[in-house]
Amino acid sequence: MALPKLGITNSYFTEQAREYAKRLGVKLWDRDALIEKMANVNAAQTIKVNDHEPVGEVDAATVPTAFYTKQ
């Protein structure tokens, strides 16, 4: 199964970048989308904490490299 193509920025994409991504089938998450996604994750973790389920930190070694670029 192919992983989705996703471009993420903590800023905003130019019109040219949005058009190019559309042609390539790349979904873009700009600053607003990223904040929304992070808020959803934080809300889910808060619910688990309130339900007394332990929520640990994510070990970077367990995150698939498709989600970030190693530097």
Side-chain angles (χ1 to χ4, degrees):
M1 174 156 82
L3 292 173
K5 296 178 247 175
L6 182 63
I8 302 173
T9 183
N10 65 350
S11 187
Y12 297 97
F13 293 99
T14 63
E15 182 62 31
Q16 182 181 9
R18 288 191 300 270
E19 290 172 6
Y20 188 63
K22 185 176 181 179
R23 284 196 311 265
L24 295 177
V26 175
K27 184 171 184 170
L28 298 178
W29 288 5
D30 64 8
R31 178 180 188 83
D32 298 333
L34 186 57
I35 289 170
E36 179 183 338
K37 301 295 183 187
M38 291 172 61
N40 290 339
V41 168
N42 289 337
Q45 288 182 349
T46 301
I47 292 168
K48 288 181 182 179
V49 170
N50 290 340
D51 291 341
H52 304 292
E53 293 179 21
V55 178
E57 292 187 22
V58 174
D59 178 2
T62 65
V63 177
T65 56
F67 293 107
Y68 68 96
T69 303
K70 293 182 180 180
Q71 295 184 1

